[in-house]
Amino acid sequence: MMKRRVSNQGDSFDLFLDTICNTFGGIVFLAILVALLAKIRHDPSGTETTEHPVTPLMMRTLELELTHQQSRLRDLQNVRDALPEAPIDSNVAEIVDRSEELKDVSAAEKHLVERRQELGEKLIDITAETAAIPDQVEQAESELEEVTIELATTKAEWQVVRAKKAKTMQVPLERQGAGSRGIILLSREELFLVASPDDDQGEFFNKHVVSVPIPGSGSDGYEIKPRFGKGITLGSEKSIIAIRETARRLSRKDSTLIIAVYPDSYHHFGPVRDAFKSFGMNYELWVQGDGEPLQVFYGNGRNRVQ
């Protein structure tokens, strides 16, 4: 830090400055007075005062006084220039420097106190969060344990249901339809009416299906192929109405209905079954394998309708 120079004038120097100021003030006063007198003396308006006329003697006196004051001013300026430079007290300069340093230190201390307070508040928050971590970890472990148990239980239940479903949906090789003539087929999101209970042997609903005699079976065996796009579309409100109408018409005959279902339409079996049961019809489920043809034989044996 740069040290400051401190001026320490004595009484003589103060008197010297007062003298210079007074002298300069007197010179200015005399100059103003001379200018006013000159203006009055040469006033072109002709209104010069007659009470206090300016004489050549007065002008000469004022000029001499002005010259004297100017000479005195020059002497005082010379004396001022000849004065030695005021001594600097090293102790005073050191005190000034230390005072400036103290101000800087005080400002830095204030900033550090504010920073310490801010960090203290953050430390309190961190401490509170740290104290809550064990409880959170314990809660998370408890929840993880519960989820693990629930997952294991669900997995075991799913395996049981899967085993039951696989057993339930196993396609039987022999299907009997004792006393049944009515047949419907569910495949590719459609319901096909295969045969009505009042149809004779070998008669099928040709608008929905195509019947082909099986070679070597005489007139007892037929393979049924659905006309895709011609059946009743499943899964809509209109389809429910159409299914109920079909069920109402088939229920006129007291017989059991065969429902043949392919894997792509398993989820439609429940609503269709309920629609036919609402009209008092019994049913028998034939679960078809994927790609397995529907074959109908009249009499005893595999895929038989008696």
Side-chain angles (χ1 to χ4, degrees):
M1 179 182 298
M2 183 179 293
K3 297 184 178 180
R4 297 185 178 180
R5 302 179 61 185
V6 181
S7 300
N8 187 14
Q9 301 290 345
D11 294 337
S12 60
F13 189 68
D14 293 337
L15 293 176
F16 172 72
L17 292 178
D18 292 338
T19 304
I20 291 178
C21 293
N22 293 332
T23 303
F24 183 73
I27 293 173
V28 172
F29 173 75
L30 291 175
I32 295 173
L33 181 60
V34 170
L36 291 174
L37 292 175
K39 181 178 181 182
I40 294 173
R41 184 175 181 182
H42 301 287
D43 188 357
S45 62
T47 59
E48 298 179 357
T49 178
T50 57
E51 295 180 357
H52 303 285
V54 180
T55 63
L57 180 59
M58 292 179 62
M59 292 295 299
R60 180 60 180 168
T61 301
L62 292 173
E63 290 177 356
L64 290 175
E65 182 67 22
L66 178 61
T67 302
H68 175 70
Q69 295 294 342
Q70 289 177 345
S71 175
R72 187 180 178 187
L73 178 60
R74 285 193 296 270
D75 293 340
L76 291 174
Q77 289 177 346
N78 293 332
V79 172
R80 184 197 62 183
D81 296 338
L83 288 175
E85 186 176 354
I88 300 176
D89 191 346
S90 60
N91 294 330
V92 175
E94 184 70 17
I95 291 174
V96 173
D97 293 339
R98 294 296 175 266
S99 178
E100 294 295 332
E101 292 178 0
L102 181 60
K103 291 180 180 179
D104 296 338
V105 171
S106 298
E109 181 183 8
K110 182 179 179 181
H111 175 72
L112 291 175
V113 170
E114 294 176 353
R115 181 61 177 169
R116 182 185 63 183
Q117 183 176 359
E118 180 182 354
L119 292 177
E121 294 176 355
K122 291 183 178 180
L123 181 60
I124 292 174
D125 296 338
I126 293 174
T127 303
E129 294 176 359
T130 304
I133 287 177
D135 295 337
Q136 294 176 356
V137 172
E138 184 178 357
Q139 182 179 1
E141 290 177 351
S142 176
E143 292 177 356
L144 179 60
E145 184 177 358
E146 292 178 359
V147 171
T148 303
I149 295 174
E150 184 178 357
L151 180 61
T153 303
T154 304
K155 183 178 180 180
E157 293 177 352
W158 174 77
Q159 290 177 346
V160 172
V161 172
R162 183 182 179 185
K164 290 182 179 179
K165 183 177 179 181
K167 183 177 180 180
T168 302
M169 300 307 294
Q170 185 176 2
V171 180
L173 297 179
E174 298 291 335
R175 303 181 183 92
Q176 299 290 333
S180 300
R181 287 289 184 88
I183 304 174
I184 61 174
L185 171 65
L186 305 182
S187 179
R188 297 187 187 180
E189 308 291 327
E190 290 184 85
L191 183 150
F192 302 94
L193 177 59
V194 179
S196 298
D198 56 352
D199 289 338
D200 293 331
Q201 179 174 326
E203 290 185 355
F204 299 97
F205 191 65
N206 294 327
K207 290 184 179 180
H208 281 188
V209 297
V210 175
S211 59
V212 179
I214 297 176
S217 63
S219 60
D220 293 335
Y222 297 88
E223 183 173 313
I224 308 302
K225 297 180 180 180
R227 296 179 181 268
F228 293 109
K230 300 294 184 179
I232 300 174
T233 302
L234 299 174
S236 65
E237 295 182 0
K238 293 182 178 180
S239 67
I240 297 297
I241 297 174
I243 292 171
R244 291 182 62 84
E245 177 62 24
T246 302
R248 183 190 63 78
R249 183 159 52 88
L250 296 183
S251 64
R252 294 176 182 176
K253 296 292 183 179
D254 185 15
S255 62
T256 301
L257 177 70
I258 294 175
I259 304 177
V261 185
Y262 280 90
D264 56 12
S265 297
Y266 284 163
H267 53 289
H268 291 298
F269 168 72
V272 172
R273 172 203 60 197
D274 295 340
F276 282 92
K277 286 180 64 176
S278 64
F279 287 91
M281 293 191 69
N282 297 322
Y283 74 92
E284 180 179 342
L285 174 62
W286 284 8
V287 179
Q288 299 293 121
D290 191 12
E292 179 187 7
L294 175 61
Q295 295 181 341
V296 176
F297 294 86
Y298 293 93
N300 296 324
R302 180 175 180 272
N303 282 24
R304 295 289 178 173
V305 178
Q306 296 179 351

